[in-house]
Amino acid sequence: MPEKPYDHNQIELKWFERWRDADFYKAEENSSKPKFYVLEMLPYPSGTLHIGHIRNYSIGDALARYKWMRGFNVLHPMGWDAFGLPAENAAIANKRPPREWTLQNIAAMKKTHRRFGFSYDWDREVSTCEPEYYRWNQWFFLKMLERGLAYRKKALVNWCPKCATVLANEQVVEGCCWRHEDTPVEQRALEQWFLKITAYADELLADMSQLEGGWPDRVLTMQRNWIGRSEGAEIDFHLAETGEPIRVFTTRVDTIYGATCVILAPEHPLNETLLNADQKAQAKAMVDARAGRDPGDIEKEGFFTGHYAVNPYSGEQVPIWIGNFVLMGYGTGAIMAVPAHDERDFEFCRKYDIPVRPVIRPVDGTLAVEPGMKESFGDYGIVENSGPWSGLPSEEARSKMAAHAEEKGFGKAAITFRIKDWGISRQRYWGTPIPVIHCPKCGMVPVPEDQLPVVLPDRIDITGTGRSPLENVPEFVNVTCPKCGEPARRETDTMDTFIDSSWYFYRYCDARNSKQPFDPAKIAYWFEIDQYIGGVEHAILHLIYSRFFTKMMRDIGLIKNSEPARRLFTQGMVIAEGAKMSKSKGNVVGADMLAEKYGTDTARMFVLFAAPPEKEVDWRWEGADGIYRFLGRVYRFATRATAGTGESDRKVLRKLHQTLRKITDDFETRWHFNTCIASVMELVNVLYAEEGKISPTALQEILEKVALMLAPFAPYLSQEIWDELGNKGPVFRQCWPAYDPDLAKEDEAEVVVQVNGKLRSRIFAPFGTTKEELEARAQADEKVQPFVAGKQVIKVITVPDKIVNIVVK
Ligand SMILES: [Zn+2]
Ligand SMILES: [Zn+2]
């Protein structure tokens, strides 16, 4: 056969056309095969897919194709996380309705998806901005409302006085409005909706033991920290003038004799009566300054209120301060500061010259002396200068002192969580309307289930002012009360878009159901997800919210599983030519551009080849060139190779089966696709070297198996080779080729030779060669000679078939 050039455009377009209307990738409804649910996180429809997306999808696609070839009934769906702020910003900037903008982006991205030939079951496509989908967000909300898992309370929002609008956190830039860089953002208290995720805090934490081994440790650690369970005590200090209690939460009640002040959050309710007008203004400024910032990044500041609190253990009076780093959302919104034994308190008290009083002695040391402490001592130790508790170890003092508080009625042992209830109200247009009506007579009335969905009005003016753009749509706002029939007002807040992504993967199992969110029997078959794949940036938020939704759905009786995904894989980022990709730098590597230049097979193979999938990949154009050349080499060999008499059969078949063994093992365990692809490259080198010396039968077997083993990584090229070899049907519908362990076996062992533990050479010897012979050959090896010549051999350690280590002096 004459060699053919690798014309990626011709090959890919040909199969793209032929496969366009075929439904190879449909999951079977009633299958006797074992099931495998593989899922990549659904994208936000920004308009373009870049190489980072391609990496995510290429990993999932390779796995899906491999599992198909292994005989599984595979579910591999895709959808769109279609609500969100960018659509609204685009609407303001370009005067285009968010819906139009979003649908156009979806169409463009889907085209790219199809061009790459990712193996999705498009019949199950889900788009979260469609009423068919978000009506079930509303339905879940009503279920949670019935159960007290959804509730309303006042909470702070970011407010730009110039725009006269509520801002999302991402619209606050360094404390100022994104559109008015000179206007500091204020915090205003509004009635908002919350989901009671804290009701599941204990279970979310405990069930992580089921995820160990299947989820990355890093993700589990981030979730543990986010949930942040601490055991401690709630203790009532008292306002000196009135005796009014001030409840503090502490994890170290054993240090309470070292408390030298009480610090309240600037938004603490007690401030209303405690502070004068100037102080109130100062406290409000502190709250405002937090807008859009991580409280941990703010410089600690505070002021003395002029009031004192009484320590219930010692009877001592300590000053009451306001501190910007104390948050209402954690514990009780009030802390006792023990600067000698807490780093943050130490920093604050040194800044304001508040006394530092050591009361915990290191177990094998002496009590620190003040003045003169350079840093706090935060470990457990022996309690000192603490009345009747002196001399107790910290652990014992903690439990005894908490019990004492409970007995005397001024406190108790308590557990607190860092995780807060999930604030889901957004004063935005492009999201799911919250299905609630406010009636002057009946109060808050849920929209009856049979009136769902509450549909977003389509054409509205988004001006960027006011509480929510929906407030300016009378047809939406003005309704009659479902209870009394009188005029009432519809809720204008929409839901946080993280709700959309908290359960979308259930909907894929029954995407067109109009009676229920899904048929529970289908979930029972497909769940848990066997492999979830996405970026580590979703370790908290999305991956905690979806675990919460799963538990909530189980408790309302819809599903049986308690966790959504058995295994999670977090792929590394893709950077380009050493730098993070960003629109402003203009270095975003777009998927369409790649498909044009090299073809989609090369783009997929490059991101899989350049690094192990969990590591960062640096996109290099010359790296893509290398992969392109390799694919060309495979194709040219497959189309031109001539057979011979077969003197190299043993050698090439051994290499073939070794390569198959390596790829099979990797799919089943660690997914080091980079080394898998490298091993195919080695195989191809051997094939070129032995060309003309391989028998016709062996050559046919080898080429077919090369096509099959490349099918998960480069489906178009594999199909073309499969076709050229005279085979019928899609290559990725064939059985995954089994490797023969006997054929894969080496005739000779590769024995590593070390001198004083350093690698110096490798020798090849028949399996089972004796120790003596290996040692003799090792010492005679010419690469080893320079390191042993003229030296005294002290001993030689030999493991037959593996290693010889010569120890010299
Ligand atoms: Zn503004
Ligand atoms: Zn009413």
Side-chain angles (χ1 to χ4, degrees):
M1 274 191 292
E3 163 181 313
K4 287 193 190 173
Y6 175 43
D7 180 348
H8 68 270
N9 263 324
Q10 185 265 328
I11 292 174
E12 296 195 359
L13 288 175
K14 173 173 108 189
W15 291 106
F16 172 77
E17 290 296 332
R18 290 202 196 167
W19 291 346
R20 198 206 308 256
D21 301 316
D23 45 10
F24 302 125
Y25 309 123
K26 272 204 171 73
E28 296 167 29
E29 280 301 342
N30 296 298
S31 174
S32 54
K33 294 176 194 161
K35 68 96 185 178
F36 195 86
Y37 187 176
V38 52
L39 180 68
E40 298 109 58
M41 289 180 184
L42 86 178
Y44 177 78
S46 59
T48 45
L49 289 179
H50 57 70
I51 189 71
H53 291 109
I54 297 304
R55 186 180 202 194
N56 184 212
Y57 309 143
S58 297
I59 296 169
D61 196 60
L63 186 65
R65 289 173 187 276
Y66 171 76
K67 287 288 176 182
W68 260 305
M69 293 174 84
R70 292 303 301 256
F72 286 81
N73 180 21
V74 176
L75 173 55
H76 187 213
M78 183 44 67
W80 312 100
D81 191 11
F83 274 140
L85 198 55
E88 245 167 288
N89 293 342
I92 298 171
N94 319 322
K95 301 261 174 255
R96 289 187 57 198
R99 181 175 191 83
E100 197 183 296
W101 184 84
T102 305
L103 295 187
Q104 187 183 344
N105 287 349
I106 289 177
M109 288 167 78
K110 189 170 172 181
K111 202 171 156 207
T112 312
H113 268 289
R114 302 199 79 140
R115 170 79 182 81
F116 271 75
F118 292 124
S119 58
Y120 300 124
D121 182 347
W122 286 108
D123 286 354
R124 296 166 184 269
E125 181 180 1
V126 159
S127 177
T128 61
C129 69
E130 299 300 340
E132 295 74 39
Y133 182 82
Y134 67 69
R135 71 172 291 169
W136 302 111
N137 288 345
Q138 296 172 338
W139 187 83
F140 284 124
F141 179 88
L142 294 176
K143 294 288 163 201
M144 287 190 268
L145 196 58
E146 273 170 30
R147 269 150 230 266
L149 287 173
Y151 67 93
R152 229 152 90 96
K153 70 168 185 196
K154 274 209 163 160
L156 296 173
V157 296
N158 306 314
W159 180 266
C160 171
K162 249 190 203 158
C163 303
T165 193
V166 176
L167 299 179
N169 278 336
E170 50 277 35
Q171 295 174 313
V172 181
V173 182
E174 292 179 1
C176 290
C177 170
W178 66 311
R179 286 192 285 181
H180 302 104
E181 283 171 21
D182 54 344
T183 308
V185 170
E186 296 172 9
Q187 301 262 284
R188 284 203 178 178
L190 295 183
E191 285 282 332
Q192 309 222 49
W193 288 98
F194 286 83
L195 299 185
K196 208 167 183 176
I197 191 169
T198 55
Y200 288 91
D202 265 322
E203 204 197 339
L204 285 167
L205 198 61
D207 284 358
M208 263 186 251
S209 61
Q210 300 174 28
L211 304 177
E212 269 159 22
W215 283 39
D217 289 339
R218 179 156 74 127
V219 172
L220 294 179
T221 303
M222 285 167 82
Q223 291 213 352
R224 276 195 193 96
N225 292 339
W226 184 257
I227 297 168
R229 182 180 191 274
S230 356
E231 285 181 22
E234 285 179 3
I235 303 293
D236 291 336
F237 280 64
H238 295 91
L239 194 57
E241 299 102 306
T242 63
E244 193 178 341
I246 305 171
R247 177 154 285 206
V248 304
F249 175 81
T250 174
T251 56
R252 292 295 302 274
V253 66
D254 58 308
T255 65
I256 199 166
Y257 283 75
T260 52
C261 67
V262 161
I263 310 176
L264 305 180
E267 69 273 37
H268 197 285
L270 194 62
N271 296 350
E272 204 46 48
T273 51
L274 214 55
L275 304 186
N276 63 35
D278 282 355
Q279 291 173 327
K280 279 181 189 166
Q282 224 178 322
K284 182 172 186 319
M286 278 182 179
V287 175
D288 287 342
R290 283 185 196 152
R293 289 206 177 111
D294 180 344
D297 297 342
I298 299 177
E299 161 87 22
K300 288 175 194 55
E301 278 174 8
F303 61 86
F304 176 43
T305 61
H307 300 273
Y308 289 84
V310 181
N311 182 327
Y313 288 87
S314 64
E316 184 191 9
Q317 290 197 8
V318 294
I320 301 174
W321 282 66
I322 303 296
N324 64 347
F325 61 99
V326 181
L327 305 173
M328 259 336 274
Y330 178 76
T332 59
I335 64 162
M336 61 177 205
V338 184
H341 302 294
D342 180 277
E343 196 185 324
R344 188 188 59 175
D345 297 350
F346 187 81
E347 192 188 322
F348 185 81
C349 291
R350 278 287 187 251
K351 177 169 177 178
Y352 292 106
D353 283 329
I354 299 165
V356 175
R357 187 190 304 152
V359 294
I360 303 291
R361 164 171 75 76
V363 176
D364 48 5
T366 52
L367 190 66
V369 181
E370 185 52 27
M373 274 184 91
K374 292 273 181 287
E375 56 180 8
S376 60
F377 171 69
D379 293 348
Y380 286 158
I382 306 297
V383 175
E384 299 282 5
N385 297 335
S386 298
W389 316 99
S390 301
L392 291 179
S394 288
E395 294 91 330
E396 195 181 337
R398 276 178 76 199
S399 56
K400 287 193 167 156
M401 291 173 80
H404 174 76
E406 183 141 24
E407 200 184 298
K408 298 288 177 194
F410 63 77
K412 58 174 193 217
I415 290 165
T416 194
F417 289 93
R418 186 177 167 270
I419 192 171
K420 290 184 249 173
D421 279 342
W422 177 8
I424 59 152
S425 279
R426 295 291 180 272
Q427 289 73 38
R428 300 275 135 220
Y429 162 69
W430 193 231
T432 305
I434 293 176
V436 153
I437 286 162
H438 302 283
C439 170
K441 252 168 77 186
C442 316
M444 191 273 293
V445 182
V447 172
E449 262 182 45
D450 59 11
Q451 291 175 26
L452 297 185
V454 175
V455 178
L456 264 186
D458 234 356
R459 305 227 152 230
I460 78 158
D461 256 356
I462 299 179
T463 55
T465 61
R467 263 195 54 174
S468 157
L470 287 171
E471 289 197 326
N472 308 322
V473 187
E475 328 64 285
F476 180 80
V477 175
N478 302 324
V479 288
T480 52
C481 170
K483 231 183 197 168
C484 68
E486 297 289 315
R489 225 179 143 271
R490 194 185 286 289
E491 170 71 61
T492 55
D493 284 356
T494 54
M495 297 183 196
D496 181 2
T497 56
F498 274 107
I499 293 206
D500 310 333
S501 53
S502 289
W503 70 281
Y504 74 102
F505 32 67
Y506 290 96
R507 184 71 178 170
Y508 284 142
C509 298
D510 196 9
R512 304 290 165 256
N513 197 327
S514 58
K515 304 279 187 298
Q516 313 170 80
F518 43 74
D519 174 359
K522 295 189 175 173
I523 303 305
Y525 174 73
W526 285 113
F527 268 74
E528 301 168 343
I529 297 167
D530 295 278
Q531 185 67 61
Y532 197 18
I533 304 168
V536 76
E537 66 275 18
H538 298 292
I540 47 169
L541 302 180
H542 166 57
L543 286 168
I544 284 197
Y545 294 150
S546 38
R547 294 182 61 218
F548 159 65
F549 251 70
T550 291
K551 291 171 195 302
M552 176 276 290
M553 285 155 66
R554 176 202 60 198
D555 288 351
I556 64 178
L558 275 178
I559 59 174
K560 297 270 194 290
N561 52 302
S562 291
E563 288 291 336
R566 180 133 304 273
R567 299 180 62 82
L568 169 73
F569 186 85
T570 49
Q571 88 272 359
M573 252 193 1
V574 182
I575 59 173
E577 305 283 347
K580 203 172 165 178
M581 286 191 287
S582 76
K583 261 191 190 158
S584 56
K585 276 191 218 132
N587 65 343
V588 176
V589 181
D592 289 328
M593 175 165 92
L594 290 175
E596 282 305 312
K597 186 162 159 66
Y598 294 108
T600 62
D601 282 342
T602 296
R604 285 168 175 244
M605 287 270 272
F606 175 79
V607 286
L608 293 176
F609 173 70
E614 70 275 16
K615 296 269 162 49
E616 188 175 271
V617 157
D618 188 0
W619 171 268
R620 300 269 171 189
W621 290 100
E622 68 267 25
D625 286 337
I627 290 288
Y628 185 76
R629 281 196 304 271
F630 164 66
L631 290 181
R633 210 163 135 76
V634 175
Y635 182 68
R636 286 192 306 274
F637 187 83
T639 51
R640 79 161 188 217
T642 42
T645 53
E647 67 263 37
S648 295
D649 281 10
R650 177 84 188 90
K651 189 174 179 186
V652 290
L653 285 172
R654 182 191 308 127
K655 190 70 193 168
L656 172 77
H657 285 268
Q658 285 173 344
T659 309
L660 268 173
R661 179 177 62 192
K662 155 99 186 114
I663 298 179
T664 309
D665 286 352
D666 256 288
F667 266 118
E668 299 294 340
T669 57
R670 29 175 225 155
W671 295 8
H672 281 181
F673 301 132
N674 55 325
T675 55
C676 290
I677 294 167
S679 68
V680 183
M681 291 174 171
E682 280 176 35
L683 169 65
V684 171
N685 287 343
V686 172
L687 293 178
Y688 269 91
E690 306 302 326
E691 199 181 351
K693 292 184 257 174
I694 308 167
S695 69
T697 2
L699 190 63
Q700 179 76 10
E701 181 194 343
I702 290 165
L703 292 176
E704 282 181 3
K705 286 184 175 163
V706 166
L708 292 169
M709 73 171 91
L710 281 177
F713 307 113
Y716 288 119
L717 176 70
S718 311
Q719 181 66 45
E720 179 71 10
I721 296 174
W722 185 248
D723 199 61
E724 293 263 1
L725 293 170
N727 294 294
K728 292 272 169 287
V731 65
F732 41 81
R733 274 294 173 277
Q734 312 304 315
C735 278
W736 182 254
Y739 63 86
D740 181 334
D742 283 335
L743 280 176
K745 211 181 262 169
E746 288 287 354
D747 293 337
E748 292 191 316
E750 184 182 335
V751 178
V752 168
V753 183
Q754 297 181 335
V755 179
N756 289 349
K758 282 212 173 86
L759 174 69
R760 296 304 179 194
S761 185
R762 295 166 201 275
I763 53 178
F764 291 87
F767 280 98
T769 304
T770 62
K771 276 189 176 188
E772 292 71 30
E773 194 180 338
L774 284 178
E775 286 170 19
R777 278 191 56 191
Q779 293 199 37
D781 187 271
E782 62 179 21
K783 285 193 194 140
V784 174
Q785 267 296 311
F787 299 98
V788 294
K791 297 203 174 136
Q792 187 195 346
V793 175
I794 300 189
K795 62 176 169 178
V796 183
I797 306 152
T798 302
V799 182
D801 303 338
K802 293 214 159 62
I803 185 169
V804 178
N805 185 12
I806 306 166
V807 183
V808 296
K809 202 164 67 171

